[in-house]
Amino acid sequence: MKRILAVAGLAMGLVACGNPTSPPAPEAPVTPAEEAPAEAGAAGTINVYSARHYDSDKAMYAAFEAETGIRVNVRESGAPELLETMKAEGERSPADVIIASDAGALYRFQEGGFTQGVTSEKLSAAIPETLREKDGHWFGLAKRARIIVFDPQVVSADEVDTYADLADPRLKGEVCVRSSTNIYNLSLMGELIGRNGADAAAQWAEGVVANMARAPQGGDTAQIDAVAAGECAVALVNHYYWMRLATGTPEERLKTSRTQLSFPDQEGNGTHVNVTAAAVAAHSKSPDLAVQFIEFLATPEGQALLTTETKEFPVVAGAAIPAGLEQIPGFKESDFPLSELGVHQPEAQAIFDRAGWN
Ligand code: FE
């Protein structure tokens, strides 16, 4: 949680320059922007509530500050914690921008009334329509694919080339997954419900549960570890966890060398993709600056800063591909509208619960 003091200072209504614990003396005027145009903060300040936690994001904020003179204060926490914070702050929330991963997470902010719809010609032009909310409540900026990692010594690629395969009885005792309360699984289930209907989605969940090698546990990286260790032959993960290991330490690369990737449903609807996205906060005092920041993230420079370390796919044409991702051949992506995923969340959780996918 960095620079939280500055955010708290704004919440208390202090002038957003200098040390928030010591308001300027009455005779000391606030420095007009034109007197120090190059200095960060001179052109304004935005408060970013981010559910990301990458060192590279610091460079991203610094680059925006250097280019625009707009100061960026950041509050980093988990998405559920940020949501609770915003609930507690209500209309006094100092947040200008919300960044979170997974459209299902953004849906929760939108549904709670913590985002506002904005229009931006730049964002509409740069970001594909299926990756942004139709009324401008959030904009997908980096893409991730939910894929199958498998042990090629146990299963062949064509045995795991669809999501349906995970529920096939021939994979009994071979499947590792994380908890169903995780937003990545809820969003994948949201798409399955939206495409195939609730009954088919429930059948799939029951089939996966019947195939589990162990009770759901750990994050996505733990699933890859389990496949590499031979605990299961197949796991469901977001692509970037594998790619970080594949470009990591020799020990991490040894793990990925024992596994292969399948991008499911290439013959069908395409692989489930989701996004890291940004929204303008409902009670932002500086929505124009907030939009300016999101537009920066949708430039080739912003895209590189956003994705180089995380190994997500850029969404903007012409943006550089993070090292390692060039190994992944082009794949068919699902075009299921991401803004529809959230609508299915309660039903998705109910289906998982009924199936015994904890
Ligand atoms: Fe993640």
Side-chain angles (χ1 to χ4, degrees):
M1 210 170 285
K2 284 144 209 105
R3 282 177 273 181
I4 193 162
L5 264 181
V7 174
L10 287 177
M12 291 184 292
L14 297 173
V15 177
C17 73
N19 183 343
T21 58
S22 53
E27 68 273 20
V30 176
T31 310
E34 61 269 24
E35 283 187 23
E39 189 187 321
T45 300
I46 55 167
N47 297 309
V48 176
Y49 279 23
S50 174
R52 287 173 39 121
H53 38 268
Y54 299 105
D55 286 344
S56 54
D57 283 1
K58 294 188 185 80
M60 180 176 90
Y61 300 126
F64 177 72
E65 287 183 335
E67 255 171 56
T68 62
I70 298 167
R71 185 194 176 108
V72 182
N73 294 323
V74 184
R75 177 173 197 143
E76 284 185 0
S77 198
E81 290 77 17
L82 291 176
L83 191 58
E84 286 308 309
T85 300
M86 293 188 76
K87 276 182 195 167
E89 290 169 342
E91 291 182 9
R92 294 173 297 106
S93 176
D96 296 299
V97 175
I98 302 162
I99 301 177
S101 289
D102 201 291
L106 270 300
Y107 172 81
R108 292 175 180 177
F109 285 95
Q110 183 185 352
E111 199 203 16
F114 302 112
T115 61
Q116 60 173 287
V118 293
T119 51
S120 156
E121 279 177 25
K122 285 182 189 167
L123 292 175
S124 298
I127 301 170
E129 204 172 347
T130 56
L131 304 183
R132 49 185 160 86
E133 204 280 331
K134 61 179 174 29
D135 296 319
H137 278 269
W138 49 261
F139 299 87
L141 295 165
K143 215 164 35 183
R144 57 270 302 290
R146 195 127 183 93
I147 61 168
I148 295 171
V149 170
F150 65 97
D151 179 346
Q153 296 192 312
V154 183
V155 295
S156 62
D158 59 359
E159 283 180 292
V160 288
D161 59 4
T162 65
Y163 294 109
D165 284 330
L166 295 174
D168 191 300
R170 76 174 174 271
L171 291 181
K172 191 161 183 61
E174 297 293 357
V175 178
C176 278
V177 289
R178 72 190 291 174
S179 165
S180 70
T181 59
N182 175 260
I183 195 69
Y184 305 154
N185 284 339
L186 287 169
S187 285
L188 173 60
M189 178 55 94
E191 174 165 351
L192 296 178
I193 294 170
R195 284 199 182 275
N196 309 328
D199 289 344
Q203 264 183 26
W204 178 78
E206 286 163 19
V208 176
V209 170
N211 285 343
M212 284 181 186
R214 58 182 190 179
Q217 58 193 266
D220 282 13
T221 303
Q223 313 312 316
I224 300 168
D225 288 348
V227 175
E231 205 175 324
C232 39
V234 177
L236 191 56
V237 301
N238 283 354
H239 83 277
Y240 54 87
Y241 291 104
W242 189 92
M243 189 50 70
R244 287 182 210 158
L245 296 176
T247 53
T249 65
E251 195 184 33
E252 288 170 336
R253 294 203 301 273
L254 183 63
K255 285 180 193 169
T256 52
S257 72
R258 292 180 178 142
T259 64
Q260 286 181 18
L261 306 183
S262 163
F263 285 72
D265 291 8
Q266 290 304 290
E267 313 269 281
N269 293 320
T271 299
H272 174 77
V273 292
N274 213 305
V275 285
T276 288
V280 177
H283 303 294
S284 170
K285 314 290 185 295
S286 309
D288 293 348
L289 301 188
V291 168
Q292 205 181 327
F293 175 68
I294 298 172
E295 287 173 347
F296 169 75
L297 297 182
T299 62
E301 183 193 3
Q303 290 277 288
L305 289 160
L306 196 63
T307 62
T308 298
E309 183 185 337
T310 68
K311 307 298 183 191
E312 293 167 284
F313 295 103
V315 300
V316 169
I321 304 293
L325 289 183
E326 74 285 347
Q327 299 168 34
I328 293 179
F331 63 96
K332 181 180 176 184
E333 299 171 15
S334 169
D335 61 359
F336 192 82
L338 296 187
S339 48
E340 280 182 35
L341 296 177
V343 180
H344 299 298
Q345 252 175 51
E347 192 172 25
Q349 190 64 68
I351 286 172
F352 279 134
D353 291 348
R354 278 199 300 274
W357 184 329
N358 300 322

